[in-house]
Amino acid sequence: MKVNAAVATAPKTDLEIRELELDAPRPDEVTVRLVASGVCHTDAIVRDQWYPTPLPAVLGHEGSGVVEAVGTDVVDLAVGDKVVLAPASCGVCENCIAGHPQYCVDFYNLNFGGARTDGSKMFTDSAGEPVSSNFFGQSSFATRTNVRARNAVKVDDDAPLEKLGPLGCGIMTGSGAVLNVLKPGPGESIAIFGTGAVGLSGMMGAVAAGATTIIMVDIVPSRLEFAKELGATHVVNSKEVDPVEAIREITGGKGVQYALDTTGVPPVFSQMTKSLALRGHGALVGAAKLGTEAPFDIGTLLTSGINVSMVVEGDAVPREYIPKLVSMYEKGLFPFDKLVKTYAFEDINQAFADSESGTTIKPVVVY
């Protein structure tokens, strides 16, 4: 069928909305009419070729929509189901079987390879040339797309699809890193570096978990004030003060029990490790260019007993975790919608620009 899609053609270049041909769903796939898609930092860095997904490509990986067709092998989804789309995983490797699909042995190829595993691409242009597809298993910057049923998460019929797309990546990443990996408990302390969608989602996860010292670190005063409105107990402007010293002062010299770096900036990663208390646990979720190295003071930190985790997509099992986030949201425990600003599809490049400048925390394109 004919679809409209935003196509990335070159680094640092606006996406072009084009009419493409979408092929029929494979036996294990469903066709989804997109209602909305979040715009994520990862879309921008892949457009700019930090990761070598072949261009031209249909990006987008925070999609939500309605199932319009199902492949012959699909048994757990039906036409009319509302779904949130999640990253792709094989489902059969040792990590997928063990409940860690975000560390699927074929994760990179499935999510960044630009094609199905057999090399086919679901989109073709007006000249019949294939366009890279299957980005994060979905390529949700299109009015319709095909996804493996495995990475489509069914939600309730009354679910607000125009808001839920970011649960499939950015919101899942931040909150999952806190709730699934760091796991702060009631009365404990955490510092989160970065007040974007991922960092604020992690902060809301910490609030929901009962942490009582929640320190947000950033250089944008308005973002820090917003974090306080959402539940931060302390904020630190790292442009004005040394964040490690500030965090230790807040915690009586001990440091925090947990910390999260959402920036992927090497000096910030170093600050995160140094802000931890003895036997503290830190996590990195911020994406950096391949080959980026960060300073790590092994001389001083050796005796600290700290753990540092590298976390992908919140180490979540989407079909288990996304419904939990929806339930928390419905009960007022996880107000992620306060991060969202919606844009018309034709304004997708403005959404990218506003995300990069920090004007908007979580842009969502509504079809």
Side-chain angles (χ1 to χ4, degrees), residues 323-342:
K324 288 182 179 180
L325 291 181
V326 174
S327 179
M328 291 167 63
Y329 165 71
E330 290 174 341
K331 291 177 173 59
L333 302 174
F334 192 76
F336 74 92
D337 59 321
K338 294 183 179 180
L339 312 181
V340 170
K341 178 181 177 180
T342 59

Side-chain angles (χ1 to χ4, degrees), residues 21-23 116 121-124 133-134 138-139 145-146:
E21 183 78 20
L22 175 68
D23 66 8
R116 297 183 176 99
K121 300 178 181 181
M122 60 185 173
F123 295 116
T124 52
S133 62
N134 297 83
Q138 55 184 278
S139 289
T145 192
N146 292 327

Side-chain angles (χ1 to χ4, degrees), residues 91-157:
V92 296
C93 73
E94 57 188 14
N95 290 331
C96 286
I97 291 172
H100 299 283
Q102 310 308 337
Y103 304 105
C104 172
V105 297
D106 203 24
F107 185 90
Y108 191 90
N109 183 52
L110 288 171
N111 291 282
F112 295 97
R116 297 183 176 99
T117 54
D118 64 2
S120 65
K121 300 178 181 181
M122 60 185 173
F123 295 116
T124 52
D125 64 19
S126 58
E129 293 296 321
V131 176
S132 287
S133 62
N134 297 83
F135 183 61
F136 274 74
Q138 55 184 278
S139 289
S140 59
F141 289 160
T143 50
R144 285 172 175 78
T145 192
N146 292 327
V147 301
R148 291 182 64 198
R150 171 176 171 78
N151 55 295
V153 181
K154 184 178 178 180
V155 294
D156 291 342
D157 289 342

Side-chain angles (χ1 to χ4, degrees), residues 146-366:
N146 292 327
V147 301
R148 291 182 64 198
R150 171 176 171 78
N151 55 295
V153 181
K154 184 178 178 180
V155 294
D156 291 342
D157 289 342
D158 59 353
L161 287 179
E162 69 281 358
K163 299 177 181 179
L164 298 186
L167 297 184
C169 182
I171 308 298
M172 180 169 70
T173 294
S175 64
V178 171
L179 295 175
N180 297 334
V181 179
L182 296 177
K183 300 180 180 179
E188 294 189 311
S189 60
I190 185 170
I192 298 176
F193 292 77
T195 57
V198 175
L200 291 172
S201 297
M203 186 203 73
M204 288 188 286
V207 172
T212 50
T213 301
I214 302 173
I215 307 167
M216 298 300 293
V217 182
D218 207 303
I219 61 173
V220 181
S222 60
R223 288 283 187 94
L224 293 171
E225 288 302 311
F226 185 53
K228 288 166 66 174
E229 294 175 15
L230 293 178
T233 61
H234 302 79
V235 295
V236 173
N237 188 325
S238 56
K239 195 173 184 178
E240 299 176 349
V241 299
D242 183 323
V244 177
E245 292 182 3
I247 288 168
R248 292 199 173 275
E249 182 178 349
I250 292 167
T251 57
K254 298 178 180 178
V256 285
Q257 293 156 295
Y258 306 95
L260 177 67
D261 174 16
T262 70
T263 71
V265 176
V268 176
F269 174 80
S270 180
Q271 292 167 352
M272 185 269 288
T273 63
K274 293 175 182 177
S275 72
L276 289 166
L278 292 173
R279 301 189 70 246
H281 188 179
L284 171 70
V285 297
K289 286 185 178 180
L290 301 180
T292 299
E293 296 185 356
F296 194 91
D297 183 357
I298 60 175
T300 304
L301 294 175
L302 175 64
T303 58
S304 68
I306 66 171
N307 289 320
V308 177
S309 298
M310 306 293 156
V311 183
V312 176
E313 297 290 352
D315 194 13
V317 179
R319 286 197 170 191
E320 172 192 45
Y321 188 65
I322 289 175
K324 288 182 179 180
L325 291 181
V326 174
S327 179
M328 291 167 63
Y329 165 71
E330 290 174 341
K331 291 177 173 59
L333 302 174
F334 192 76
F336 74 92
D337 59 321
K338 294 183 179 180
L339 312 181
V340 170
K341 178 181 177 180
T342 59
Y343 294 76
F345 183 32
E346 57 267 26
D347 295 328
I348 189 169
N349 290 305
Q350 188 63 53
F352 268 77
D354 290 351
S355 177
E356 183 175 359
S357 70
T359 302
T360 299
I361 296 175
K362 172 48 67 176
V364 173
V365 172
V366 179

